[in-house]
């Protein structure tokens, strides 16, 4: 073995031991456990595709999957637009933008429990300020938010978007700063309106950032969990039950590790598949 | 606050575009005004929940929900901040969380930066494949392998100990990735010169690279500290005994126990946010740099 190989490995090893044991190994084991019947104390019993066949007929699984897609379909574009809008606004030379950038980032560093409990108070159907405000502007029948099966998911999506937009805004801001100012000047000399400059200079310049943000945002949406668990507990009924939470329920509350792992594989496959598709689409667009 | 609220003003400024200089001046003044209005609106939307949290924590319980809404506490009930310590295990919760956050941060910073040096500055066969394994796991949601990981930790008798959280948080790919990005911006000539002078790779890492990477190390430390401090799911799964609870778990049990004590719940929330908020404000620059350069989160 060459000296470089020894040196290289010696640097990586302290981290790699932990990484291999606690991340790589569990990911590999997942594909075995999913084909077994297993609880904490027992032994794994190979059951082939039984878990997957059970999942196919499991109405709760489909509800969780549908709700996860519901969350993602609204959370992704909303957050993308809000983050980009904030970034454009805060990229301008206005007094106090630095202060505002800090503020925008604040929800992201705040703990999920604090956020959930505050928003639950704000959303309180009878006494909360949000419905008071809606009442004041003439909404006769304000939503029941987290107390209503119809409005619980929108409520969760609003909070999710509020929490994460500052984070993605930061990525957009970094992207905006890489667009050369000359491009804007040239466009302006050519008589391009600000809207045209946005479409023909800003958006193409942000393409890589937008791609990266979309990938991150998609993974984040599909693994949503803590926010929902603390805000609604998946309810009312199963109206906000999502995949991650269903995995948690089956695995840690009901000790059905094999079945929970099978559901985990679905979550894994979705995130992996979407990432691969996004990369392929991006590659084709670039070439 | 939706995107259209924010984006519209920016576009609206655009409309009267291609006229003479006087029109442009008016436009830019008007644009500035619209810009500030949008800023204030956005800030209000972002801050309202925090404002509510602090104000409610200083109210009497009966005053939290009143119609019409009172936006300032009257009387100001500082006692809530004394009461919460007496009625909950705040000290234990904060102590556990602080301990975990510090240990995880130190381990991430040391092993992460060390491994990143190997990936960024030492050439050896298999390096790229190995790094691909690190990057690949970033796209795998933790929720999808938390079950096999839990089984493994149970077999190792680490579940229901604080070590379990250290183990699952401290060796993630985040630190390696972030530090590698940074090391690649340091000119290779520096290392070459040091090699000619007879320094070993470890010497180069310690005497040249580490002192140069203070800002990146600070970014990583801040990211890891806040991630560990705010983690909910990890402790929920692994820490079953009450004396092991972190602030997130503790606060949540407090909420379910005293669910009608609105003011006190808000007091607890403020206390759970405060330490991270202070650290964030102190190291804000490093924090945002770290995220902007990698786009990674814990």
């Amino acid at each position: 073995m060459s000296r470089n190989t020894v040196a290289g490995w010696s640097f990586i090893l302290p981290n790699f031991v932990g990484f291999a044991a606690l991340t790589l190994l569990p990911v590999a084991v997942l594909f075995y456990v999913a084909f077994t019947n297993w609880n904490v104390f027992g032994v794994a019993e190979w059951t082939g595709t039984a878990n997957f066949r059970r999942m196919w007929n499991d109405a709760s699984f489909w509800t969780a999957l549908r709700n996860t897609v519901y969350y993602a379909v609204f959370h992704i574009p909303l957050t993308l637009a809000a983050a980009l809008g904030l970034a454009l606004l805060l990229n301008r030379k206005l007094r106090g933008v630095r202060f505002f950038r800090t503020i925008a980032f604040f929800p992201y560093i705040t703990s999920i429990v604090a956020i959930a409990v505050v928003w639950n108070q704000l959303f309180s159907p009878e006494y909360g300020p949000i419905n008071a405000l809606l009442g004041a502007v003439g909404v006769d029948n304000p939503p029941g938010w987290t107390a209503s099966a119809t409005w619980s998911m929108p409520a969760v999506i609003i909070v999710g978007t509020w929490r994460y937009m500052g984070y993605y805004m930061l990525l957009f801001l970094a992207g905006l700063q890489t667009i050369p100012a000359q491009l804007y000047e040239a466009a302006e000399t050519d008589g391009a309106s600000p809207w045209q400059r946005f479409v023909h200079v800003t958006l193409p310049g942000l393409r890589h950032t937008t791609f990266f943000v979309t990938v991150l945002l998609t993974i984040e949406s599909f693994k949503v969990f803590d926010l929902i668990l603390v805000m609604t507990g998946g309810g009312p009924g199963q109206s906000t039950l999502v995949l991650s939470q269903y995995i948690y329920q089956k695995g840690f509350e009901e000790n059905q590790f094999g079945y929970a792992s099978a559901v985990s594989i679905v979550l894994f496959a979705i995130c992996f598949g979407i990432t691969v598709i996004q990369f392929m689409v991006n590659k084709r667009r670039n070439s | 606050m939706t995107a259209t609220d924010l984006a519209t003003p920016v576009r609206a400024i655009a409309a009267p575009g291609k006229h003479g200089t006087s029109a442009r001046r008016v436009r830019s003044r008007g644009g500035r005004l619209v810009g500030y209005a949008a800023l204030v609106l956005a800030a209000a939307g972002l801050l309202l929940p925090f404002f509510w949290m602090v104000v409610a924590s200083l109210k009497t319980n009966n005053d939290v929900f009143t119609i019409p809404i009172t936006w300032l506490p009257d009387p100001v009930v500082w006692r809530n901040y004394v009461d919460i310590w007496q009625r909950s295990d705040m000290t234990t919760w904060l102590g556990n969380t602080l301990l975990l956050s510090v240990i995880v941060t130190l381990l991430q910073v040391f092993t992460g930066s060390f491994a990143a040096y190997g990936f960024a500055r030492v050439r050896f066969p298999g390096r790229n494949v190995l790094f691909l394994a690190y990057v690949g796991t970033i796209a795998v949601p933790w929720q999808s392998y938390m079950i096999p990981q839990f089984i493994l930790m149970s077999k190792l008798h680490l579940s229901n100990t604080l070590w379990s959280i250290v183990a699952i948080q401290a060796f993630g790919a985040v630190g390696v990735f972030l530090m590698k990005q940074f090391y690649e911006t340091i000119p290779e000539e520096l290392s070459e010169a040091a090699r000619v002078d007879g320094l070993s790779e470890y010497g180069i890492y310690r005497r040249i690279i580490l002192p140069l990477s203070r800002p990146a190390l600070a970014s990583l430390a801040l990211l890891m500290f806040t991630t560990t401090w705010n983690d909910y799911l990890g402790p929920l799964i692994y820490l079953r005994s009450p004396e092991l609870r972190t602030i997130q778990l503790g606060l949540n049990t407090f909420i379910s126990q005293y669910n009608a004590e609105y003011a006190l719940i808000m007091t607890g929330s403020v206390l759970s946010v405060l330490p991270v908020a202070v650290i964030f404000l102190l190291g804000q620059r490093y924090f945002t740099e770290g995220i902007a350069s990698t786009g990674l989160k814990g």
Side-chain angles (χ1 to χ4, degrees), chain B residues 42-90:
Chain B
L46 282 158
L47 283 183
L48 182 82
F50 294 104
F51 183 71
W52 174 274
M53 178 157 77
V54 174
V55 168
S57 78
L58 294 171
K59 285 180 174 175
T60 65
N61 201 38
N62 289 335
D63 284 352
V64 173
F65 294 110
T66 47
I67 292 180
I69 295 159
T70 48
W71 289 107
L72 287 173
D74 178 37
V76 181
V77 192
W78 297 105
R79 247 213 91 76
N80 286 340
Y81 283 85
V82 181
D83 284 353
I84 188 115
W85 293 91
Q86 288 163 351
R87 295 180 55 184
S88 72
D89 294 322
M90 222 13 124

Side-chain angles (χ1 to χ4, degrees), chain B residues 109-122:
Chain B
V109 167
F110 282 120
T111 70
S113 72
F114 205 54
Y117 184 87
F119 281 123
R121 311 293 279 206
V122 187

Side-chain angles (χ1 to χ4, degrees), chain A residues 160-205:
Chain A
T161 304
W162 172 84
R163 176 169 164 81
Y164 288 109
M165 64 186 182
Y167 173 82
Y168 296 107
M169 169 208 76
L170 204 65
L171 300 184
F172 274 125
L173 267 178
L176 283 173
Q177 269 142 31
T178 62
I179 303 175
Q182 295 99 295
L183 283 182
Y184 286 104
E185 283 156 23
E188 204 160 0
T189 334
D190 291 345
S193 73
W195 171 247
Q196 285 169 326
R197 292 203 295 270
F198 174 72
V199 172
H200 297 291
V201 181
T202 310
L203 280 187

Side-chain angles (χ1 to χ4, degrees), chain B residues 8-298:
Chain B
T8 326
V10 181
R11 287 176 209 153
I13 316 159
K18 328 145 207 165
H19 303 294
T21 28
S22 64
R24 171 162 298 177
R25 206 175 311 129
V26 173
R27 183 195 75 186
S28 82
R29 202 185 303 145
R32 214 159 263 261
L33 223 65
V34 179
Y36 282 119
L39 274 186
V40 170
L41 255 170
L46 282 158
L47 283 183
L48 182 82
F50 294 104
F51 183 71
W52 174 274
M53 178 157 77
V54 174
V55 168
S57 78
L58 294 171
K59 285 180 174 175
T60 65
N61 201 38
N62 289 335
D63 284 352
V64 173
F65 294 110
T66 47
I67 292 180
I69 295 159
T70 48
W71 289 107
L72 287 173
D74 178 37
V76 181
V77 192
W78 297 105
R79 247 213 91 76
N80 286 340
Y81 283 85
V82 181
D83 284 353
I84 188 115
W85 293 91
Q86 288 163 351
R87 295 180 55 184
S88 72
D89 294 322
M90 222 13 124
T91 323
T92 313
W93 302 339
L94 289 173
N96 284 340
T97 319
L98 186 68
L99 184 74
L100 284 176
S101 305
V102 169
I103 296 178
V104 167
T105 304
L106 288 177
L107 275 171
Q108 272 271 355
V109 167
F110 282 120
T111 70
S113 72
F114 205 54
Y117 184 87
F119 281 123
R121 311 293 279 206
V122 187
R123 272 172 217 288
F124 62 94
R127 184 183 75 163
N128 293 339
V129 179
L130 204 57
F131 189 66
L132 202 67
Y134 272 85
V135 178
T137 57
I138 291 171
V140 182
W142 179 65
Q143 282 87 336
S144 72
Y145 62 89
M146 65 184 175
I147 296 219
Q149 195 183 50
F150 179 79
I151 297 173
L152 193 82
M153 298 283 273
S154 302
K155 301 266 181 223
L156 295 172
H157 300 287
L158 282 177
S159 61
N160 206 23
T161 67
L162 289 179
W163 291 112
S164 58
I165 303 300
V166 172
I168 63 168
Q169 290 269 33
F171 302 101
V174 184
V176 180
F177 195 79
L178 192 144
M179 293 311 295
K180 180 178 179 266
Q181 299 265 92
F182 181 80
Y183 289 159
E184 279 167 353
T185 64
I186 300 176
E188 188 64 43
E189 290 82 43
L190 272 180
S191 310
E192 279 309 319
R195 268 179 213 125
V196 172
D197 288 347
L199 265 185
S200 71
E201 289 298 325
Y202 311 105
I204 299 173
Y205 167 76
R206 206 178 64 79
R207 314 239 313 248
I208 296 171
I209 305 291
L210 263 194
L212 282 174
S213 49
R214 271 198 209 115
L217 292 172
S219 300
L220 175 60
L222 281 164
L223 274 176
M224 283 323 296
F225 189 91
T226 43
T227 309
T228 314
W229 185 279
N230 287 331
D231 188 19
Y232 180 74
L233 188 49
L236 178 71
I237 291 171
Y238 284 103
L239 306 178
R240 296 288 175 176
S241 310
E243 72 275 9
L244 296 179
R245 277 183 193 141
T246 60
I247 179 70
Q248 310 303 335
L249 287 184
L251 185 59
N252 210 31
T253 33
F254 186 79
I255 291 167
S256 47
Q257 237 167 2
Y258 298 95
N259 57 23
E261 300 262 12
Y262 309 112
L264 218 48
I265 287 173
M266 287 297 101
T267 310
S269 303
V270 171
L271 288 177
S272 80
V273 170
L274 206 59
V276 181
V278 169
I279 286 179
F280 170 71
L281 288 177
L282 289 177
Q284 204 239 112
R285 192 167 63 90
Y286 297 121
F287 197 94
T288 46
E289 269 170 22
I291 286 187
S293 64
T294 59
L296 277 181
K297 38 188 186 169

Side-chain angles (χ1 to χ4, degrees), chain A residues 38-39 54 250-252 254-261, chain B residues 147:
Chain A
W38 199 357
N39 61 45
R54 175 180 161 196
K250 289 291 152 192
F252 297 105
E254 299 172 25
N255 275 338
Q256 304 180 23
F257 284 160
Y259 188 57
S261 296
Chain B
I147 296 219

